[in-house]
Structure formats: structure tokens, C-alpha cells
Amino acid sequence: MELIWEGLKGAFKFLFHGDPEIREITLLSLRIAAWAIGISSAIGLPLGIALGVSTFRGRDFLLTLANTGMGLPPTVVGLWVAIVLWRTGPLGGLKLIYTPTAIIIAEVILTVPIIIALVAAAASDKKAKLHDFFLSLGLNPLQYMWLLLREIRSSVLTAIIAGFGRAISEVGAAMMVGGNIAGETRTLTTAIVLEVSKGEFDRALAISFVLLAISFSITAFITHLQYQQNLK
């Protein structure tokens, strides 16, 4: 209980007085998660809708890949990305290893399947109910997909919440491709691991409370948007 209390005091100290290091780590974590979920949404939303409404050979295989990808082990993704970005790897010349960009790449790989799978399932279900109605309106493919996206917007927000949770809480791949470098690639999750390894449990708890507060706040905001959408 004493450690938890010290962690709480440390978290409140940061929130009310500020801690330059934790503030820097927090801002970097938010920036990485925002980029990851933004890119994942740009890729996953159209692919999810396309897989949900289309019928073509290989569709089931692609859906299986997406569903399997929802459970991708972060350390495996980190290993693959590290091999590709390593100095002697295929993209080593880009010098992305141990940078925030490398972490974003790993997190995109981890979150895209979640968005694709959840959106595809919602689109497929809604298509079964509204397909004939949409066809009666004489819509072109883009109009069809746009209206369908509006109909499943609540499910889209759910997918974004799930993707954000995956991105902001990621630690295994971030450690492998980012290196947990102070001032450059150290995120809230990797900082917690570091503080525990040093025996600084009070500081680790303080950072964990900050991470929980961020996760709760952003999830609550998106959930509120989802609720407002359901009322319309």
C-alpha cells in the first residue's frame, strides 16, 4: 500500500506541479499514438468497408488474416520491423531504427488489423440490412460506401477506441524498434518498464497513473461521441 500511495503522490505532483521528463514522455507517447491511429484509420476504414461489402475470391482469406492480426504478438511485430529497418536490413538506409517513426510503423501494423476486422464485421452486418435500399437510391460505389460508413459510425468509433488502446499501451515492439532512448523514443509504457527494472516502483506507479488517466480520458471522449452518434 505504501508503494501505491507514493505512486499516487508522484502522479499528483506531476499533474499539479509538473515533471519535465514525464511531460516530455507523455507528449511523445500521445504524438506516436495519434500518428499510429490516424494512419491505421486511413488504411483500415476503406479496407474494412471494402471487405465487408464486397464478394470476391480470396475475401475469406483476407478476413482471416485481419482477424488473426488482431492478436499479433507485439514482440513478433517488433522483431520483423527491426529486421527490416536494421542498418543491414532492406530499409536500413532510411535510418529509421530507434526513432519514433519506427515505433509508429510497428504500432500501425498492430492496429490496422483491429480496425479492418471490426469495421468489416459491422459493414457486412449493415449491408445485409440496407443493401437493397441503397441500390434503390441509384448510388454509385463511392456514395454507397459513404452512406454505409455513416450507418456504422458507432462501430467505427469502437474500432478506433480499440486501436488507440492497442497503440497507447504497446511496449514490446516499442522497446525493440525504439530502444527506449531518453528524450527520443522513451514512451510511457517503456518508461514504466525501465523504472521497475531500476527498482523505482513509486515513479513507475506515478507514470502508470498518468497513462491510465490519458487512456480513460480519451476513451471517455470517444465513447461520448459514440453515444451522441447513437442518439441521432
Side-chain angles (χ1 to χ4, degrees), residues 5-87:
W5 176 242
E6 289 299 321
L8 279 171
K9 289 197 296 183
F12 281 121
K13 178 182 178 182
F14 164 69
L15 292 173
F16 291 105
H17 302 288
D19 181 311
E21 183 181 3
I22 296 180
R23 183 187 299 112
E24 181 181 19
I25 293 171
T26 300
L27 292 176
L28 177 62
S29 298
L30 288 171
R31 188 162 64 249
I32 289 174
W35 272 102
I37 198 62
I39 295 171
S40 297
S41 297
I43 297 171
L45 291 180
L47 289 180
I49 293 177
L51 287 176
V53 303
S54 304
T55 302
F56 57 90
R57 188 174 182 180
R59 173 179 177 272
D60 290 345
F61 174 72
L62 293 177
L63 285 173
T64 300
L65 284 181
N67 290 327
T68 302
M70 294 178 69
L72 273 177
T75 51
V76 172
V77 173
L79 173 62
W80 294 343
V81 173
I83 290 174
V84 172
L85 298 182
W86 197 253
R87 296 176 182 84

Side-chain angles (χ1 to χ4, degrees), residues 27-211:
L27 292 176
L28 177 62
S29 298
L30 288 171
R31 188 162 64 249
I32 289 174
W35 272 102
I37 198 62
I39 295 171
S40 297
S41 297
I43 297 171
L45 291 180
L47 289 180
I49 293 177
L51 287 176
V53 303
S54 304
T55 302
F56 57 90
R57 188 174 182 180
R59 173 179 177 272
D60 290 345
F61 174 72
L62 293 177
L63 285 173
T64 300
L65 284 181
N67 290 327
T68 302
M70 294 178 69
L72 273 177
T75 51
V76 172
V77 173
L79 173 62
W80 294 343
V81 173
I83 290 174
V84 172
L85 298 182
W86 197 253
R87 296 176 182 84
T88 55
L91 300 180
L94 298 177
K95 299 180 180 180
L96 295 177
I97 194 68
Y98 299 147
T99 66
T101 301
I103 302 176
I104 292 171
I105 292 172
E107 290 186 358
V108 167
I109 294 173
L110 288 167
T111 54
V112 162
I114 295 174
I115 295 177
I116 291 176
L118 293 179
V119 171
S124 179
D125 180 65
K126 191 62 69 172
K127 175 194 173 184
K129 299 176 182 178
L130 297 175
H131 180 66
D132 292 339
F133 173 68
F134 282 173
L135 289 181
S136 69
L137 297 176
L139 304 175
N140 62 44
L142 286 178
Q143 291 173 324
Y144 184 104
M145 293 184 69
W146 173 249
L147 283 181
L148 185 63
L149 181 61
R150 286 177 58 85
E151 289 295 323
I152 64 170
R153 56 187 180 273
S154 180
S155 297
V156 168
L157 290 175
T158 298
I160 291 174
I161 289 174
F164 174 79
R166 176 82 152 177
I168 197 70
S169 64
E170 211 308 290
V171 59
M175 290 280 285
M176 296 181 72
V177 303
N180 198 20
I181 303 171
E184 295 185 28
T185 59
R186 182 164 298 163
T187 63
L188 289 169
T189 52
T190 59
I192 292 172
V193 173
L194 175 66
E195 297 301 335
V196 170
S197 69
K198 292 162 54 180
E200 299 289 344
F201 293 101
D202 55 342
R203 189 168 177 80
L205 282 168
I207 298 173
S208 74
F209 288 128
V210 173
L211 178 58

